[in-house]
Amino acid sequence: MPPATRAHAPAGRPRDPEVDRRIIDAAVQLYGEAGWAGFSLEAVARRAGVGKASIYLRWSGKEQLLADALAARVANVADSDTGTLRGDLITLTRQLLRVYLGDARRAAHRIAVEAPGIPEVARRWTELRESQVLAARAMVRRGIRRGEIPENTSVTLLLDTLCGGAVMHIMTTPDGLVGQLVRDADRYAEELVDFLLHAVREANR
Amino acid sequence: MPPATRAHAPAGRPRDPEVDRRIIDAAVQLYGEAGWAGFSLEAVARRAGVGKASIYLRWSGKEQLLADALAARVANVADSDTGTLRGDLITLTRQLLRVYLGDARRAAHRIAVEAPGIPEVARRWTELRESQVLAARAMVRRGIRRGEIPENTSVTLLLDTLCGGAVMHIMTTPDGLVGQLVRDADRYAEELVDFLLHAVREANR
């Protein structure tokens, strides 16, 4: 991402990371509730309990703020190398479940709908999604190199069903059962990964 | 659904199904583009090329119209009994792919985000989703009864990964490749189903 998308505090006045965090949290919540139509720097400042100047010191506009907020709270699936494919995929699934079960849930669904209508945010969002797909594909490729799964494994099928399965599981759970889902998330991630690793191995027998 | 949600034409003046279709199409498209905030009977009538009276003859309000449009164009995954589990699941996947690759794509994503804010539509939408989940579960249960898959198959894992995988596949495809996706949809449905049937069988060896 170009460094110019984020303004810097003047020398000698270090930025307060707690203020950054409050602004980002407020941006994600407001966007999730009100969408792009209701997203303004004034409303984010009010919700974060900071002055508008604090936001302008950091971001040049609402497009940049929303893109940074999505990067920090929604598109935060990162590569992680636990040493085994199973471990990597469980970590990936837990990261996804945390996003879709957490405060960023509505923002995550909303940006998928609204991005085409907000070109400046859509460009960053597309980059963020692509880097997440690359991180996930890198995990699977390491598993193939280590001989954990067959060489002709369909990386696309495995990742579609893993990531899609986790998101669908959350979306089809009635609201009254979401609390239980949060408690069971770590175990569900293991069951999902094991189920799909069976598919990969059996498909290539 | 209570019959009162849909008005009936006066006796002796049969409704024109072509007008119904145009209104439903216009409603799905407008909702997908503009969301609930931009959804009005005036705008639907204009887009459908019909008079507002034609809509009021049929629907008592915009909530009822949107709910019927979602039932007709988005929540149209129906039970289908092809005689084999593989056949049933391929049919289900193709139905899903058609929704998410077709004109109702944006409406399908949008209602998942906006339903909590439109209580009268949310109630119908929840019923529609539940009846689709029941239809899908009935397919898998028939497969178990016929001995095609083991009795202790996790119906939830199989359907999460099947439906989620199909939707994720579409959502992670760059716009430039959607045309190819449409052409490959039938083959993808078969690959996805076969992959997951391997998982189910291997998980229970």
Side-chain angles (χ1 to χ4, degrees):
Chain A
M1 102 194 62
T5 57
R6 203 156 167 186
H8 292 284
R13 283 189 53 198
R15 277 167 38 179
D16 179 349
E18 168 62 18
V19 172
D20 283 27
R21 195 189 56 70
R22 268 161 50 200
I23 294 170
I24 291 284
D25 282 348
V28 166
Q29 286 166 20
L30 177 66
Y31 177 69
E33 289 168 23
W36 184 244
F39 191 80
S40 71
L41 295 184
E42 288 81 355
V44 173
R46 212 161 35 236
R47 185 179 285 241
V50 304
K52 238 180 96 177
S54 293
I55 298 189
Y56 276 117
L57 186 68
R58 292 162 169 83
W59 288 277
S60 58
K62 62 183 198 158
E63 288 83 359
Q64 289 71 35
L65 172 56
L66 180 58
D68 279 352
L70 293 171
R73 296 285 188 274
V74 176
N76 53 9
V77 170
D79 193 3
S80 83
D81 191 348
T82 64
T84 69
L85 177 61
R86 181 173 185 272
D88 288 0
L89 294 180
I90 289 172
T91 304
L92 170 71
T93 307
R94 287 179 180 163
Q95 287 173 333
L96 259 182
L97 291 172
R98 263 198 297 277
V99 169
Y100 282 89
L101 286 168
D103 290 342
R105 171 187 186 154
R106 291 191 70 187
H109 288 301
R110 211 179 256 289
I111 190 62
V113 177
E114 295 191 353
I118 332 169
E120 283 197 60
V121 178
R123 190 181 47 76
R124 278 280 302 283
W125 178 242
T126 302
E127 287 169 11
L128 289 167
R129 283 169 58 97
E130 282 168 4
S131 80
Q132 291 186 102
V133 171
L134 290 178
R137 296 184 81 90
M139 289 179 178
V140 180
R141 294 247 168 68
R142 282 200 303 271
I144 292 174
R145 271 204 306 279
R146 283 187 301 244
E148 293 174 85
I149 53 173
E151 209 169 329
N152 58 349
T153 293
S154 168
V155 181
T156 300
L157 269 181
L158 174 56
L159 291 175
D160 284 349
T161 49
L162 184 72
C163 301
V167 174
M168 187 60 69
H169 186 62
I170 292 170
M171 291 188 66
T172 51
T173 298
D175 286 345
L177 297 177
V178 169
Q180 192 180 329
L181 212 58
V182 171
R183 287 190 295 279
D184 292 349
D186 281 359
R187 193 174 48 77
Y188 177 78
E190 290 191 30
E191 286 174 5
L192 178 63
V193 168
D194 288 335
F195 179 75
L196 294 173
L197 288 178
H198 285 310
V200 164
R201 284 168 186 144
E202 176 69 12
N204 295 283
R205 260 169 194 273
Chain B
M1 102 193 64
T5 57
R6 206 158 165 184
H8 292 283
R13 284 190 51 200
R15 279 169 35 179
D16 179 349
E18 168 62 19
V19 172
D20 282 27
R21 195 190 56 71
R22 268 161 51 199
I23 295 171
I24 291 284
D25 282 348
V28 165
Q29 286 166 21
L30 177 66
Y31 177 69
E33 288 168 25
W36 185 244
F39 191 80
S40 72
L41 295 184
E42 289 81 354
V44 173
R46 211 160 37 235
R47 186 178 284 240
V50 304
K52 238 179 96 177
S54 294
I55 298 188
Y56 277 117
L57 186 68
R58 293 163 169 83
W59 288 278
S60 58
K62 62 183 199 159
E63 288 83 359
Q64 289 71 35
L65 171 56
L66 179 57
D68 280 352
L70 293 171
R73 295 286 188 274
V74 176
N76 53 9
V77 170
D79 193 4
S80 84
D81 191 349
T82 64
T84 68
L85 177 62
R86 181 175 185 272
D88 287 0
L89 294 180
I90 289 173
T91 304
L92 170 72
T93 308
R94 288 179 179 162
Q95 288 173 332
L96 259 182
L97 291 172
R98 262 198 297 275
V99 170
Y100 282 88
L101 285 168
D103 289 343
R105 171 189 186 152
R106 292 192 68 185
H109 288 300
R110 211 179 256 289
I111 191 61
V113 176
E114 295 190 353
I118 331 169
E120 282 197 61
V121 178
R123 190 181 48 75
R124 278 280 302 284
W125 178 242
T126 303
E127 287 169 10
L128 289 167
R129 283 169 58 97
E130 282 167 5
S131 79
Q132 291 186 102
V133 170
L134 290 178
R137 297 184 80 92
M139 289 179 179
V140 180
R141 294 246 168 69
R142 283 199 303 269
I144 292 174
R145 270 204 307 280
R146 283 187 300 243
E148 293 175 86
I149 53 173
E151 208 169 328
N152 59 349
T153 294
S154 167
V155 181
T156 301
L157 269 180
L158 174 56
L159 291 175
D160 284 350
T161 49
L162 184 73
C163 301
V167 175
M168 186 61 67
H169 186 62
I170 292 170
M171 291 188 66
T172 51
T173 297
D175 286 345
L177 297 178
V178 168
Q180 192 181 328
L181 212 59
V182 172
R183 287 190 295 279
D184 292 349
D186 281 359
R187 194 175 48 79
Y188 178 78
E190 290 191 31
E191 286 173 6
L192 178 63
V193 168
D194 287 335
F195 179 75
L196 293 172
L197 289 178
H198 285 310
V200 164
R201 284 167 187 145
E202 176 69 12
N204 295 284
R205 261 168 193 274

